[in-house]
Tab-separated table of all heavy atoms in Angstrom:
chain	number	residue	atom	x	y	z
A	1115	VAL	N	-165.017	18.442	26.860
A	1115	VAL	CA	-164.200	17.328	27.356
A	1115	VAL	C	-164.690	16.079	26.619
A	1115	VAL	O	-165.904	15.860	26.502
A	1115	VAL	CB	-164.354	17.148	28.879
A	1115	VAL	CG1	-163.568	15.928	29.356
A	1115	VAL	CG2	-163.890	18.400	29.613
A	1116	LEU	N	-163.740	15.293	26.115
A	1116	LEU	CA	-164.090	14.085	25.354
A	1116	LEU	C	-163.627	12.843	26.079
A	1116	LEU	O	-162.627	12.862	26.793
A	1116	LEU	CB	-163.353	14.062	24.008
A	1116	LEU	CG	-163.592	15.150	22.990
A	1116	LEU	CD1	-162.663	14.921	21.797
A	1116	LEU	CD2	-165.046	15.092	22.560
A	1117	GLY	N	-164.315	11.745	25.864
A	1117	GLY	CA	-163.833	10.437	26.294
A	1117	GLY	C	-164.228	9.447	25.216
A	1117	GLY	O	-165.402	9.360	24.869
A	1118	LEU	N	-163.257	8.749	24.653
A	1118	LEU	CA	-163.590	7.851	23.548
A	1118	LEU	C	-163.399	6.404	23.963
A	1118	LEU	O	-162.360	6.037	24.526
A	1118	LEU	CB	-162.739	8.202	22.325
A	1118	LEU	CG	-163.009	9.636	21.836
A	1118	LEU	CD1	-161.914	10.108	20.887
A	1118	LEU	CD2	-164.370	9.719	21.174
A	1119	GLU	N	-164.424	5.619	23.720
A	1119	GLU	CA	-164.364	4.184	24.004
A	1119	GLU	C	-164.425	3.480	22.657
A	1119	GLU	O	-165.408	3.614	21.937
A	1119	GLU	CB	-165.562	3.758	24.847
A	1119	GLU	CG	-165.626	4.443	26.198
A	1119	GLU	CD	-166.960	4.149	26.883
A	1119	GLU	OE1	-167.244	2.984	27.163
A	1119	GLU	OE2	-167.711	5.105	27.118
A	1120	VAL	N	-163.374	2.772	22.319
A	1120	VAL	CA	-163.348	2.072	21.036
A	1120	VAL	C	-163.358	0.573	21.295
A	1120	VAL	O	-162.569	0.062	22.085
A	1120	VAL	CB	-162.109	2.478	20.200
A	1120	VAL	CG1	-161.958	1.573	18.986
A	1120	VAL	CG2	-162.232	3.934	19.766
A	1121	HIS	N	-164.291	-0.097	20.642
A	1121	HIS	CA	-164.352	-1.561	20.705
A	1121	HIS	C	-163.774	-2.106	19.411
A	1121	HIS	O	-164.192	-1.693	18.340
A	1121	HIS	CB	-165.796	-2.041	20.821
A	1121	HIS	CG	-166.386	-1.821	22.173
A	1121	HIS	ND1	-167.053	-0.678	22.522
A	1121	HIS	CD2	-166.394	-2.604	23.273
A	1121	HIS	CE1	-167.456	-0.769	23.783
A	1121	HIS	NE2	-167.068	-1.931	24.267
A	1122	VAL	N	-162.855	-3.036	19.544
A	1122	VAL	CA	-162.327	-3.648	18.337
A	1122	VAL	C	-162.494	-5.159	18.421
A	1122	VAL	O	-162.166	-5.780	19.435
A	1122	VAL	CB	-160.852	-3.232	18.098
A	1122	VAL	CG1	-159.979	-3.549	19.291
A	1122	VAL	CG2	-160.289	-3.901	16.850
A	1123	GLU	N	-163.080	-5.738	17.370
A	1123	GLU	CA	-163.219	-7.196	17.291
A	1123	GLU	C	-161.915	-7.768	16.766
A	1123	GLU	O	-161.438	-7.354	15.705
A	1123	GLU	CB	-164.326	-7.584	16.299
A	1123	GLU	CG	-165.719	-7.475	16.836
A	1123	GLU	CD	-166.765	-7.880	15.780
A	1123	GLU	OE1	-166.382	-8.168	14.624
A	1123	GLU	OE2	-167.937	-7.898	16.107
A	1124	LEU	N	-161.353	-8.705	17.489
A	1124	LEU	CA	-160.122	-9.338	17.021
A	1124	LEU	C	-160.453	-10.358	15.931
A	1124	LEU	O	-161.490	-11.009	15.998
A	1124	LEU	CB	-159.420	-10.039	18.188
A	1124	LEU	CG	-159.049	-9.144	19.365
A	1124	LEU	CD1	-158.421	-9.980	20.487
A	1124	LEU	CD2	-158.092	-8.036	18.926
A	1125	HIS	N	-159.566	-10.493	14.947
A	1125	HIS	CA	-159.853	-11.499	13.909
A	1125	HIS	C	-159.110	-12.822	14.176
A	1125	HIS	O	-158.479	-13.385	13.296
A	1125	HIS	CB	-159.611	-10.964	12.501
A	1125	HIS	CG	-158.194	-10.583	12.199
A	1125	HIS	ND1	-157.852	-9.785	11.136
A	1125	HIS	CD2	-157.024	-10.896	12.798
A	1125	HIS	CE1	-156.537	-9.626	11.114
A	1125	HIS	NE2	-156.022	-10.290	12.104
A	1126	THR	N	-159.240	-13.294	15.409
A	1126	THR	CA	-158.714	-14.617	15.762
A	1126	THR	C	-159.503	-15.681	14.993
A	1126	THR	O	-160.593	-15.419	14.505
A	1126	THR	CB	-158.904	-14.864	17.264
A	1126	THR	OG1	-160.262	-14.532	17.590
A	1126	THR	CG2	-157.980	-13.985	18.086
A	1127	ASN	N	-158.949	-16.885	14.929
A	1127	ASN	CA	-159.681	-17.963	14.245
A	1127	ASN	C	-160.929	-18.359	15.004
A	1127	ASN	O	-161.954	-18.669	14.414
A	1127	ASN	CB	-158.794	-19.204	14.105
A	1127	ASN	CG	-157.635	-18.942	13.165
A	1127	ASN	OD1	-157.751	-18.130	12.239
A	1127	ASN	ND2	-156.521	-19.603	13.406
A	1128	THR	N	-160.821	-18.360	16.341
A	1128	THR	CA	-161.942	-18.830	17.149
A	1128	THR	C	-162.388	-17.750	18.127
A	1128	THR	O	-161.716	-16.737	18.306
A	1128	THR	CB	-161.544	-20.094	17.949
A	1128	THR	OG1	-160.385	-19.784	18.720
A	1128	THR	CG2	-161.228	-21.254	17.013
A	1129	LYS	N	-163.521	-18.004	18.779
A	1129	LYS	CA	-164.097	-17.024	19.703
A	1129	LYS	C	-163.281	-16.910	21.006
A	1129	LYS	O	-162.319	-17.632	21.214
A	1129	LYS	CB	-165.544	-17.411	20.008
A	1129	LYS	CG	-166.487	-17.260	18.803
A	1129	LYS	CD	-167.932	-17.513	19.221
A	1129	LYS	CE	-168.882	-17.359	18.033
A	1129	LYS	NZ	-170.304	-17.592	18.471
Side-chain angles (χ1 to χ4, degrees):
V1115 176
L1116 298 176
L1118 298 164
E1119 299 171 62
V1120 170
H1121 286 90
V1122 55
E1123 280 180 356
L1124 302 177
H1125 63 197
T1126 49
N1127 293 330
T1128 55
K1129 292 186 180 181

